[in-house]
Amino acid sequence: MSDQDVENSSAAPVKVRLLTFDWLPFTDDLSASESLYDAMDSLSADGAFFGNHYLQKSGVSGIVEGFTAGLCDAQPVQGRVLIFGGGATPTLDLRSLPDSLSSEFCGSVSDGLVLPEADFCWLHFESHGTAEETGLEAVLPLLRSLLEPECVVFVTSLAGRAQQSTRFESLLAESLIHAPLWVLGAGAGCCRVQTLTGSHDVGCTIQQLLRRGGCVAGGQSELDNGPIDLVPLCYGPGLNLRRELLIEHEAAKAVRCDDFLLVSCVSSPNTALSERRMALYAKPEDVWNLNDVAGEYHAVVDELIRRLT
Protein backbone atom coordinates (compact mmCIF):
# COMPACT_ATOMS: atom_id res chain seq x y z
CA MET A 1 0.00 0.00 0.00
CA SER A 2 1.55 3.30 -1.05
CA ASP A 3 2.05 6.44 1.05
CA GLN A 4 -0.43 8.23 -1.19
CA ASP A 5 -3.07 5.65 -0.36
CA VAL A 6 -2.52 6.22 3.36
CA GLU A 7 -2.85 9.96 2.89
CA ASN A 8 -6.22 9.39 1.22
CA SER A 9 -7.57 7.54 4.25
CA SER A 10 -10.20 9.07 6.48
CA ALA A 11 -8.76 11.31 9.20
CA ALA A 12 -11.47 10.54 11.75
CA PRO A 13 -11.45 7.21 13.61
CA VAL A 14 -13.72 4.69 11.97
CA LYS A 15 -16.30 2.58 13.77
CA VAL A 16 -16.77 -0.98 12.57
CA ARG A 17 -19.97 -2.96 13.05
CA LEU A 18 -20.08 -6.64 12.15
CA LEU A 19 -23.55 -8.22 11.83
CA THR A 20 -23.56 -12.00 11.53
CA PHE A 21 -26.36 -14.55 11.35
CA ASP A 22 -26.25 -18.25 12.10
CA TRP A 23 -27.48 -18.79 8.55
CA LEU A 24 -28.63 -16.67 5.62
CA PRO A 25 -30.37 -18.03 2.54
CA PHE A 26 -28.51 -17.39 -0.66
CA THR A 27 -30.18 -16.28 -3.87
CA ASP A 28 -30.80 -19.84 -5.09
CA ASP A 29 -32.96 -20.72 -2.08
CA LEU A 30 -36.41 -20.60 -3.63
CA SER A 31 -38.07 -21.10 -0.24
CA ALA A 32 -36.93 -17.68 1.00
CA SER A 33 -39.66 -15.12 1.63
CA GLU A 34 -40.22 -12.13 -0.61
CA SER A 35 -39.41 -9.83 2.31
CA LEU A 36 -36.01 -11.48 2.63
CA TYR A 37 -35.27 -10.95 -1.05
CA ASP A 38 -36.30 -7.30 -0.65
CA ALA A 39 -33.92 -6.93 2.31
CA MET A 40 -31.06 -8.49 0.35
CA ASP A 41 -31.74 -6.22 -2.63
CA SER A 42 -31.87 -3.21 -0.35
CA LEU A 43 -28.45 -4.00 1.11
CA SER A 44 -26.98 -4.59 -2.34
CA ALA A 45 -28.26 -1.18 -3.46
CA ASP A 46 -26.40 0.59 -0.64
CA GLY A 47 -22.99 -1.02 -0.73
CA ALA A 48 -20.77 -3.74 -2.11
CA PHE A 49 -22.19 -7.25 -2.47
CA PHE A 50 -19.56 -9.99 -2.64
CA GLY A 51 -21.19 -12.72 -4.72
CA ASN A 52 -18.29 -15.16 -4.66
CA HIS A 53 -17.73 -15.30 -0.89
CA TYR A 54 -16.85 -18.51 0.96
CA LEU A 55 -16.82 -19.66 4.59
CA GLN A 56 -13.29 -20.89 5.19
CA LYS A 57 -14.40 -22.13 8.61
CA SER A 58 -17.86 -22.12 10.13
CA GLY A 59 -18.56 -20.28 13.37
CA VAL A 60 -16.68 -17.32 14.83
CA SER A 61 -13.22 -18.77 14.08
CA GLY A 62 -13.66 -18.18 10.35
CA ILE A 63 -13.59 -14.42 10.99
CA VAL A 64 -11.42 -14.33 14.13
CA GLU A 65 -8.51 -16.08 12.42
CA GLY A 66 -8.33 -13.21 9.95
CA PHE A 67 -7.82 -10.60 12.69
CA THR A 68 -4.09 -11.19 13.01
CA ALA A 69 -3.20 -13.30 9.95
CA GLY A 70 -0.16 -11.78 8.26
CA LEU A 71 0.05 -8.98 10.88
CA CYS A 72 2.68 -10.11 13.36
CA ASP A 73 2.78 -6.76 15.15
CA ALA A 74 -0.98 -6.25 15.22
CA GLN A 75 -2.68 -5.36 18.49
CA PRO A 76 -5.62 -7.60 19.47
CA VAL A 77 -8.97 -6.42 18.16
CA GLN A 78 -10.92 -5.04 21.11
CA GLY A 79 -14.66 -4.58 21.32
CA ARG A 80 -17.98 -6.07 22.33
CA VAL A 81 -19.88 -9.10 21.06
CA LEU A 82 -23.66 -8.94 21.51
CA ILE A 83 -25.65 -12.11 20.87
CA PHE A 84 -29.37 -12.07 20.17
CA GLY A 85 -31.60 -15.14 20.28
CA GLY A 86 -34.80 -16.58 21.67
CA GLY A 87 -33.28 -19.05 24.13
CA ALA A 88 -31.95 -18.66 27.63
CA THR A 89 -28.34 -19.09 26.49
CA PRO A 90 -26.62 -18.62 23.15
CA THR A 91 -26.09 -21.62 20.88
CA LEU A 92 -23.01 -20.00 19.34
CA ASP A 93 -19.69 -21.59 20.33
CA LEU A 94 -17.71 -18.68 21.77
CA ARG A 95 -14.52 -20.56 22.61
CA SER A 96 -12.76 -19.18 19.53
CA LEU A 97 -13.32 -15.57 20.59
CA PRO A 98 -10.14 -13.79 21.77
CA ASP A 99 -10.01 -12.45 25.33
CA SER A 100 -10.04 -8.90 23.98
CA LEU A 101 -13.65 -9.35 22.82
CA SER A 102 -16.14 -9.38 25.70
CA SER A 103 -19.34 -11.27 24.90
CA GLU A 104 -22.84 -10.70 26.24
CA PHE A 105 -26.07 -12.60 25.58
CA CYS A 106 -28.86 -10.04 25.13
CA GLY A 107 -31.83 -12.29 24.33
CA SER A 108 -34.40 -10.69 22.04
CA VAL A 109 -33.72 -7.57 20.01
CA SER A 110 -35.08 -4.48 21.77
CA ASP A 111 -36.48 -1.49 19.92
CA GLY A 112 -34.60 0.79 22.27
CA LEU A 113 -31.29 -1.02 21.91
CA VAL A 114 -28.30 1.20 22.65
CA LEU A 115 -25.09 -0.15 21.19
CA PRO A 116 -21.72 0.28 22.91
CA GLU A 117 -19.55 3.18 21.78
CA ALA A 118 -16.61 0.86 21.19
CA ASP A 119 -14.77 1.23 17.90
CA PHE A 120 -15.65 -2.39 17.11
CA CYS A 121 -18.95 -4.07 17.93
CA TRP A 122 -20.01 -7.53 16.74
CA LEU A 123 -23.75 -8.30 16.68
CA HIS A 124 -24.73 -11.92 16.13
CA PHE A 125 -28.33 -13.00 15.50
CA GLU A 126 -29.52 -16.56 16.13
CA SER A 127 -32.61 -17.49 14.16
CA HIS A 128 -33.36 -20.85 15.75
CA GLY A 129 -37.09 -20.75 16.54
CA THR A 130 -37.20 -16.94 16.34
CA ALA A 131 -36.60 -16.21 12.67
CA GLU A 132 -39.36 -13.61 12.70
CA GLU A 133 -37.41 -11.59 15.31
CA THR A 134 -33.79 -12.03 14.27
CA GLY A 135 -33.90 -12.62 10.52
CA LEU A 136 -32.20 -10.23 8.11
CA GLU A 137 -35.41 -8.46 7.16
CA ALA A 138 -36.37 -8.00 10.84
CA VAL A 139 -33.10 -6.34 11.84
CA LEU A 140 -32.87 -4.17 8.73
CA PRO A 141 -34.01 -1.02 10.63
CA LEU A 142 -31.28 -1.62 13.20
CA LEU A 143 -28.76 -2.08 10.42
CA ARG A 144 -29.81 1.20 8.82
CA SER A 145 -29.25 3.03 12.09
CA LEU A 146 -25.63 1.86 12.10
CA LEU A 147 -24.81 3.59 8.82
CA GLU A 148 -23.69 6.77 10.47
CA PRO A 149 -20.73 8.83 9.22
CA GLU A 150 -17.40 7.00 9.54
CA CYS A 151 -19.06 3.66 10.25
CA VAL A 152 -18.34 0.59 8.14
CA VAL A 153 -20.83 -2.29 8.42
CA PHE A 154 -20.24 -5.91 7.43
CA VAL A 155 -23.19 -8.30 7.04
CA THR A 156 -22.69 -12.03 6.54
CA SER A 157 -23.41 -15.47 8.00
CA LEU A 158 -21.25 -17.78 10.12
CA ALA A 159 -22.52 -21.05 8.68
CA GLY A 160 -24.39 -22.50 5.75
CA ARG A 161 -27.23 -24.98 5.58
CA ALA A 162 -27.39 -28.00 3.30
CA GLN A 163 -30.22 -28.08 0.79
CA GLN A 164 -32.63 -31.01 0.55
CA SER A 165 -30.93 -34.38 0.12
CA THR A 166 -32.67 -34.89 -3.22
CA ARG A 167 -30.71 -31.96 -4.66
CA PHE A 168 -27.59 -32.82 -6.64
CA GLU A 169 -24.53 -31.51 -4.83
CA SER A 170 -20.80 -32.10 -4.72
CA LEU A 171 -18.99 -33.97 -1.94
CA LEU A 172 -19.10 -30.71 0.00
CA ALA A 173 -22.45 -29.01 -0.55
CA GLU A 174 -22.00 -25.56 -2.05
CA SER A 175 -24.71 -24.16 0.21
CA LEU A 176 -22.59 -25.05 3.27
CA ILE A 177 -19.61 -22.95 2.23
CA HIS A 178 -20.96 -20.30 -0.18
CA ALA A 179 -22.31 -17.33 1.83
CA PRO A 180 -23.55 -13.79 1.11
CA LEU A 181 -21.45 -10.84 2.23
CA TRP A 182 -22.19 -7.10 2.16
CA VAL A 183 -19.82 -4.25 3.01
CA LEU A 184 -21.64 -0.96 3.63
CA GLY A 185 -20.33 2.49 4.45
CA ALA A 186 -16.91 2.03 2.87
CA GLY A 187 -17.42 5.16 0.76
CA ALA A 188 -17.94 3.44 -2.58
CA GLY A 189 -21.18 3.21 -4.53
CA CYS A 190 -23.22 0.04 -4.90
CA CYS A 191 -21.44 -2.72 -6.79
CA ARG A 192 -21.21 -6.48 -7.19
CA VAL A 193 -17.76 -7.93 -6.52
CA GLN A 194 -16.90 -11.19 -8.29
CA THR A 195 -13.39 -11.64 -6.90
CA LEU A 196 -13.08 -14.78 -4.81
CA THR A 197 -13.22 -13.85 -1.11
CA GLY A 198 -13.28 -15.74 2.18
CA SER A 199 -14.30 -15.27 5.81
CA HIS A 200 -10.66 -14.68 6.85
CA ASP A 201 -10.74 -11.58 4.62
CA VAL A 202 -13.52 -10.12 6.78
CA GLY A 203 -11.41 -10.35 9.94
CA CYS A 204 -8.36 -9.01 8.13
CA THR A 205 -10.31 -6.02 6.77
CA ILE A 206 -11.71 -5.19 10.20
CA GLN A 207 -8.20 -5.26 11.66
CA GLN A 208 -6.93 -2.99 8.88
CA LEU A 209 -9.79 -0.49 9.36
CA LEU A 210 -9.18 -0.28 13.11
CA ARG A 211 -5.42 0.12 12.67
CA ARG A 212 -5.48 2.89 10.09
CA GLY A 213 -8.67 4.65 11.28
CA GLY A 214 -10.51 4.79 7.95
CA CYS A 215 -11.09 3.41 4.47
CA VAL A 216 -8.42 3.41 1.81
CA ALA A 217 -9.33 3.31 -1.86
CA GLY A 218 -5.86 2.34 -3.03
CA GLY A 219 -4.79 -0.69 -4.99
CA GLN A 220 -4.57 -4.21 -3.59
CA SER A 221 -1.18 -5.32 -2.33
CA GLU A 222 0.63 -8.28 -3.83
CA LEU A 223 -1.21 -11.50 -3.05
CA ASP A 224 0.30 -14.47 -1.25
CA ASN A 225 -2.99 -16.40 -0.92
CA GLY A 226 -3.41 -15.02 2.59
CA PRO A 227 -6.28 -12.77 3.77
CA ILE A 228 -6.78 -9.54 1.83
CA ASP A 229 -8.30 -6.14 2.54
CA LEU A 230 -11.81 -6.01 1.03
CA VAL A 231 -12.10 -2.21 0.96
CA PRO A 232 -10.12 -1.73 -2.29
CA LEU A 233 -12.47 -4.21 -3.97
CA CYS A 234 -15.41 -2.00 -3.04
CA TYR A 235 -13.82 0.75 -5.13
CA GLY A 236 -12.62 -1.56 -7.90
CA PRO A 237 -15.12 -4.43 -8.19
CA GLY A 238 -13.73 -5.38 -11.59
CA LEU A 239 -10.29 -6.28 -10.24
CA ASN A 240 -9.36 -9.80 -11.28
CA LEU A 241 -7.31 -11.25 -8.41
CA ARG A 242 -6.00 -14.79 -8.75
CA ARG A 243 -6.62 -16.51 -5.44
CA GLU A 244 -6.85 -19.83 -3.64
CA LEU A 245 -8.90 -20.30 -0.46
CA LEU A 246 -8.46 -23.14 2.01
CA ILE A 247 -11.82 -24.33 3.38
CA GLU A 248 -12.37 -26.59 6.39
CA HIS A 249 -15.81 -27.99 7.17
CA GLU A 250 -16.19 -30.81 9.69
CA ALA A 251 -14.87 -33.97 7.96
CA ALA A 252 -14.08 -32.25 4.66
CA LYS A 253 -11.31 -30.00 3.43
CA ALA A 254 -11.33 -28.08 0.17
CA VAL A 255 -9.37 -25.67 -1.97
CA ARG A 256 -11.37 -23.11 -3.93
CA CYS A 257 -9.55 -21.27 -6.70
CA ASP A 258 -10.92 -19.18 -9.55
CA ASP A 259 -11.64 -22.11 -11.83
CA PHE A 260 -11.88 -25.18 -9.60
CA LEU A 261 -12.98 -26.59 -6.25
CA LEU A 262 -11.06 -29.61 -4.94
CA VAL A 263 -12.82 -31.47 -2.10
CA SER A 264 -11.32 -34.17 0.10
CA CYS A 265 -13.68 -35.78 2.59
CA VAL A 266 -14.25 -38.92 4.64
CA SER A 267 -17.18 -40.83 3.21
CA SER A 268 -18.14 -42.71 6.36
CA PRO A 269 -16.52 -41.43 9.58
CA ASN A 270 -18.29 -44.06 11.70
CA THR A 271 -16.45 -46.98 10.11
CA ALA A 272 -13.12 -48.31 11.32
CA LEU A 273 -11.44 -47.82 7.94
CA SER A 274 -12.88 -44.69 6.43
CA GLU A 275 -12.56 -44.33 2.70
CA ARG A 276 -11.27 -40.88 1.78
CA ARG A 277 -12.89 -39.48 -1.34
CA MET A 278 -11.62 -36.67 -3.50
CA ALA A 279 -13.22 -34.84 -6.38
CA LEU A 280 -12.49 -31.83 -8.56
CA TYR A 281 -15.26 -29.53 -9.74
CA ALA A 282 -15.02 -26.88 -12.45
CA LYS A 283 -16.24 -23.51 -11.12
CA PRO A 284 -15.45 -20.56 -13.39
CA GLU A 285 -16.49 -17.44 -11.43
CA ASP A 286 -19.77 -18.32 -9.65
CA VAL A 287 -21.13 -20.79 -12.22
CA TRP A 288 -21.42 -24.23 -10.66
CA ASN A 289 -20.53 -27.38 -12.52
CA LEU A 290 -20.93 -30.35 -10.20
CA ASN A 291 -19.38 -32.95 -12.49
CA ASP A 292 -16.17 -34.51 -11.16
CA VAL A 293 -13.47 -33.47 -13.65
CA ALA A 294 -10.49 -34.91 -11.75
CA GLY A 295 -9.88 -37.39 -14.56
CA GLU A 296 -9.46 -34.55 -17.05
CA TYR A 297 -7.23 -32.18 -15.07
CA HIS A 298 -4.56 -34.35 -13.44
CA ALA A 299 -2.03 -31.51 -13.05
CA VAL A 300 -4.63 -29.30 -11.35
CA VAL A 301 -5.52 -32.07 -8.90
CA ASP A 302 -1.87 -32.68 -8.02
CA GLU A 303 -1.21 -28.99 -7.43
CA LEU A 304 -4.32 -28.43 -5.27
CA ILE A 305 -3.63 -31.58 -3.24
CA ARG A 306 -0.29 -30.05 -2.26
CA ARG A 307 -2.23 -27.03 -0.94
CA LEU A 308 -4.31 -29.29 1.31
CA THR A 309 -1.34 -31.04 2.92
Side-chain angles (χ1 to χ4, degrees), residues 207-280:
Q207 175 68 278
Q208 293 281 21
L209 285 168
L210 295 174
R211 290 179 79 215
R212 65 179 176 237
C215 297
V216 177
Q220 182 63 53
S221 60
E222 183 178 353
L223 295 176
D224 59 359
N225 285 328
I228 65 172
D229 189 348
L230 299 175
V231 170
L233 293 177
C234 297
Y235 289 86
L239 292 176
N240 183 20
L241 305 180
R242 306 295 295 180
R243 303 197 65 194
E244 291 179 356
L245 297 178
L246 294 178
I247 298 170
E248 298 182 33
H249 190 279
E250 296 179 350
K253 289 187 176 182
V255 179
R256 174 69 161 95
C257 61
D258 296 283
D259 298 321
F260 296 96
L261 171 69
L262 178 75
V263 179
S264 175
C265 68
V266 177
S267 60
S268 181
N270 296 325
T271 60
L273 296 176
S274 299
E275 176 189 358
R276 180 163 292 278
R277 295 186 296 167
M278 188 171 294
L280 181 73

Side-chain angles (χ1 to χ4, degrees), residues 117-274:
E117 288 295 324
D119 289 341
F120 175 58
C121 187
W122 184 341
L123 288 73
H124 178 69
F125 301 92
E126 299 182 342
S127 62
H128 298 291
T130 59
E132 68 281 358
E133 297 179 8
T134 55
L136 178 60
E137 59 271 48
V139 303
L140 197 58
L142 171 62
L143 194 157
R144 295 293 181 206
S145 69
L146 300 178
L147 291 177
E148 58 189 47
E150 305 302 335
C151 186
V152 180
V153 179
F154 297 80
V155 182
T156 189
S157 61
L158 295 183
R161 181 179 297 176
Q163 301 292 344
Q164 297 179 358
S165 58
T166 56
R167 178 171 176 165
F168 183 70
E169 287 278 9
S170 65
L171 293 182
L172 180 58
E174 189 79 13
S175 55
L176 290 174
I177 56 177
H178 194 194
L181 168 68
W182 291 269
V183 179
L184 312 174
C190 65
C191 62
R192 178 181 172 89
V193 181
Q194 283 295 88
T195 293
L196 191 64
T197 60
S199 49
H200 292 180
D201 298 335
V202 176
C204 175
T205 306
I206 291 172
Q207 175 68 278
Q208 293 281 21
L209 285 168
L210 295 174
R211 290 179 79 215
R212 65 179 176 237
C215 297
V216 177
Q220 182 63 53
S221 60
E222 183 178 353
L223 295 176
D224 59 359
N225 285 328
I228 65 172
D229 189 348
L230 299 175
V231 170
L233 293 177
C234 297
Y235 289 86
L239 292 176
N240 183 20
L241 305 180
R242 306 295 295 180
R243 303 197 65 194
E244 291 179 356
L245 297 178
L246 294 178
I247 298 170
E248 298 182 33
H249 190 279
E250 296 179 350
K253 289 187 176 182
V255 179
R256 174 69 161 95
C257 61
D258 296 283
D259 298 321
F260 296 96
L261 171 69
L262 178 75
V263 179
S264 175
C265 68
V266 177
S267 60
S268 181
N270 296 325
T271 60
L273 296 176
S274 299

Side-chain angles (χ1 to χ4, degrees), residues 13-20 60 63-64 67 75-82 97-98 100-103 115-124 146 150-154 202-211:
V14 68
K15 290 184 179 180
V16 179
R17 301 293 179 252
L18 172 63
L19 277 68
T20 58
V60 299
I63 293 176
V64 167
F67 282 158
Q75 295 296 321
V77 172
Q78 298 184 351
R80 297 279 298 278
V81 179
L82 306 181
L97 282 176
S100 58
L101 293 179
S102 58
S103 61
L115 296 180
E117 288 295 324
D119 289 341
F120 175 58
C121 187
W122 184 341
L123 288 73
H124 178 69
L146 300 178
E150 305 302 335
C151 186
V152 180
V153 179
F154 297 80
V202 176
C204 175
T205 306
I206 291 172
Q207 175 68 278
Q208 293 281 21
L209 285 168
L210 295 174
R211 290 179 79 215

Side-chain angles (χ1 to χ4, degrees), residues 21-36:
F21 297 80
D22 53 0
W23 174 74
L24 282 175
F26 200 58
T27 52
D28 67 336
D29 185 0
L30 300 181
S31 65
S33 65
E34 184 176 352
S35 60
L36 177 58

